[in-house]
Amino acid sequence: GPSTLPVKVLEQVQKDFVCYKSTGMSVIEMSHRSGMFLEIYNSAVTNLKTLLNIGDDYSVLFLHGGATQQFSAVPLNMPIKSGKALYVDSGSFAAKAAKEAKKYKEVEIIASSKNDNYTYVPKFDVDSIDKNADYLHITTNNTIYGTKYTSIPEISIPLVADASSNILSENYDISKFAAIYAGAQKNIGPSGLCVLVAKKEYIVEPMSNCPILQSWKIQDENESMYNTPNTFGIYVANLVFENLLSIGGVTEIEKINRYKAGLLYDFIDNSSLFKGTANKEYRSLMNATFVTGDENLDKEFVSQAAKAGLVNLKGHRSVGGMRASIYNAMPVEGVEALVDFMKKFELENGGK
Ligand code: PMP
């Protein structure tokens, strides 16, 4: 769900809320076609392009319906070669994306880690995939299980990625992707908004049954404004982009993210009580999943942590245990406080 945003951004939103600059109105009162809002929109597009290091061969769109809406939009919009799409099943969102695509085309799951409770990102042989498939869909970070791709597959068919839970957290070579989408609520801004970054050559006439709001072509032609966009979401996203640029962009935040995740994983790896649940090779920089091995003790940990001000540590309802989501805006101090609390809990519960 929604996650930490930079305090500086929240304070700016508060400052602007009643009256944005000298307009005499709030951003949520502004026409989306007004010069003032178009300035915000264009700035958001430019800033995201700078952060992702992409040029004019890509379109950036701000769409409705979170990442889930794009589960359906991807099969409806990606150019058709054979009508078949390939999916990697690396977590429950990846599975949901594939399930939705099956409504519109033939889907082949080329690799799955489901039988191992998604503790790793499954590998596949890049040379043996169907070269006639329309695209391959991957999920760069598996939010619930705490795993991520360590390298992006080099394939000869278009690659589409759901990057909802790790966009802007580490450098990716975006030129390897035909399209990337991300629900905004982790590293970008308010929920409900979805960012789509698509190479222009893949923005074509969609399938004839494509709902108009899901048409990448229509949205691209209308600069995300076929209907009224989520103006407030786009404004907050732009503040987050400006803030990230001001601290040195993705390269700088990646260093901080590696440091934060390192603090937590180093402690877990040396702990006599806590155990990481994701395979070490694939561990996420954004979501660290761990257990004590005793469900009641896990519950006790989550409850005591909440009393100490460390909230939202309960693992996803489908897996249990604990999950620390340490997105871009979680400060190093937050991770240090968690590690200190885990040390204390370990000592109090028979650990060494
Ligand atoms: N994909 C991933 C990887 C996610 O983490 C999430 C939500 N946490 C979704 C898709 C669904 O996003 P939304 O709720 O914005 O539709």
Side-chain angles (χ1 to χ4, degrees):
S3 307
T4 345
L5 285 182
V7 175
K8 259 175 99 172
V9 168
L10 297 176
E11 285 171 352
Q12 188 64 42
V13 172
Q14 185 180 44
K15 199 162 151 260
D16 290 346
F17 193 71
V18 175
C19 178
Y20 179 77
K21 296 193 175 166
S22 58
T23 59
M25 60 180 113
S26 171
V27 174
I28 62 166
E29 297 174 307
M30 236 173 240
S31 162
H32 58 296
R33 311 244 178 243
S34 65
M36 194 48 98
F37 183 75
L38 290 180
E39 216 173 87
I40 294 172
Y41 177 82
N42 290 330
S43 169
V45 170
T46 307
N47 285 332
L48 186 57
K49 280 186 159 180
T50 307
L51 284 165
L52 293 176
N53 195 21
I54 48 174
D56 290 337
D57 49 339
Y58 280 84
S59 280
V60 166
L61 299 174
F62 291 90
L63 306 174
H64 301 279
T68 307
Q69 184 81 293
Q70 294 305 308
F71 291 170
S72 349
V74 166
L76 287 165
N77 283 279
M78 281 300 290
I80 296 171
K81 197 169 171 199
S82 63
K84 173 179 171 185
L86 313 180
Y87 279 73
V88 175
D89 176 24
S90 58
S92 61
F93 288 114
K96 281 182 177 165
K99 191 173 171 208
E100 190 62 15
K102 276 187 195 149
K103 290 182 184 166
Y104 307 107
K105 50 178 74 201
E106 186 192 338
V107 166
E108 183 190 339
I109 307 286
I110 58 164
S112 173
S113 49
K114 187 175 182 192
N115 289 341
D116 295 307
N117 205 21
Y118 295 124
T119 46
Y120 57 92
V121 172
K123 286 203 166 89
F124 58 90
D125 177 13
V126 288
D127 295 324
S128 62
I129 65 170
D130 185 344
K131 307 278 183 303
N132 282 317
D134 299 346
Y135 61 87
L136 167 68
H137 180 281
I138 63 168
T139 310
T140 52
N141 185 75
N142 299 284
T143 326
I144 295 175
Y145 310 90
T147 64
K148 72 160 184 125
Y149 277 78
T150 47
S151 64
I152 297 305
E154 301 278 349
I155 51 169
S156 57
I157 64 170
L159 182 63
V160 177
D162 172 1
S164 293
S165 52
N166 75 339
I167 192 165
L168 297 174
S169 68
E170 61 179 297
N171 271 315
Y172 276 101
D173 178 358
I174 307 291
S175 69
K176 288 185 177 166
F177 298 89
I180 294 185
Y181 61 95
Q185 63 271 27
K186 317 299 188 199
N187 279 335
I188 295 178
S191 59
L193 183 70
C194 184
V195 166
L196 172 73
V197 176
K199 210 170 195 174
K200 290 206 164 108
E201 65 183 278
Y202 298 105
I203 302 182
V204 297
E205 198 62 52
M207 282 164 72
S208 59
N209 55 349
C210 180
I212 194 126
L213 271 187
Q214 290 193 41
S215 163
W216 293 352
K217 188 162 184 279
I218 293 279
Q219 290 286 24
D220 191 39
E221 283 165 2
N222 289 278
E223 296 182 313
S224 314
M225 294 187 206
Y226 179 77
N227 75 334
T228 319
N230 179 348
T231 51
F232 184 72
I234 294 167
Y235 149 78
V236 177
N238 189 39
L239 292 179
V240 171
F241 299 155
E242 283 174 355
N243 184 67
L244 185 51
L245 283 167
S246 78
I247 63 165
V250 179
T251 303
E252 276 314 300
I253 202 75
E254 176 172 346
K255 285 184 205 156
I256 299 170
N257 287 334
R258 287 193 184 280
Y259 178 73
K260 287 188 307 194
L263 280 180
L264 195 47
Y265 288 133
D266 282 350
F267 172 74
I268 291 171
D269 290 343
N270 292 304
S271 168
S272 55
L273 180 66
F274 297 101
K275 282 171 274 309
T277 53
N279 180 306
K280 278 189 194 175
E281 189 186 337
Y282 299 101
R283 286 198 295 210
S284 165
L285 293 180
M286 299 282 97
N287 316 96
T289 48
F290 53 96
V291 292
T292 63
D294 171 346
E295 275 181 33
N296 288 327
L297 201 55
D298 287 353
K299 276 195 193 125
E300 189 55 32
F301 175 81
V302 171
S303 144
Q304 285 191 26
K307 283 184 197 140
L310 299 158
V311 297
N312 291 339
L313 282 164
K314 191 163 176 282
H316 190 268
R317 59 188 182 279
S318 59
V319 292
M322 280 76 75
R323 175 177 50 157
S325 286
I326 48 176
Y327 295 112
N328 281 0
M330 173 57 69
V332 172
E333 293 77 20
V335 179
E336 286 170 344
L338 174 61
V339 169
D340 286 346
F341 181 80
M342 288 169 78
K343 276 183 195 155
K344 184 171 151 277
F345 189 87
E346 182 178 76
L347 282 174
E348 287 166 1
N349 289 278
K352 291 176 256 35

